[in-house]
Amino acid sequence: MNIFFYAGTRSIAGEHYLEKLLGLAELKNLLILPEGSFFLSPLALELRSGDLIILFVADTQELDKLI
């Protein structure tokens, strides 16, 4: 199982959250998807059934874009 992190846009809050996640030993192999890629980057194409994605959404407008 792979663990991915995705933030729709770059933000200070998102960067702080990611920093905390990277400090956890359980998430040492966390794969970070590029911001704003809408899961179209080559790394995002590695997503498979059973993988976990941590999604950081700054506001409802960003969530609407993803949906």
Side-chain angles (χ1 to χ4, degrees):
M1 174 179 74
N2 293 315
I3 303 173
F4 293 84
F5 175 84
Y6 178 77
T9 58
R10 180 168 286 215
S11 68
I12 293 172
E15 289 179 14
H16 285 271
Y17 187 68
L18 179 58
E19 184 179 313
K20 296 234 184 235
L21 289 175
L22 292 172
L24 300 173
E26 297 84 3
L27 299 178
K28 65 180 177 194
N29 295 323
L30 184 69
L31 300 167
I32 302 167
L33 300 175
E35 299 97 3
S37 66
F38 293 103
F39 306 104
L40 298 175
S41 70
L43 185 57
L45 297 176
E46 298 292 319
L47 281 162
R48 299 285 182 254
S49 178
D51 286 348
L52 176 67
I53 185 163
I54 301 169
L55 178 63
F56 184 86
V57 179
D59 55 34
T60 55
Q61 291 175 336
E62 193 172 306
L63 180 61
D64 288 341
K65 287 180 187 177
L66 288 171
I67 294 175

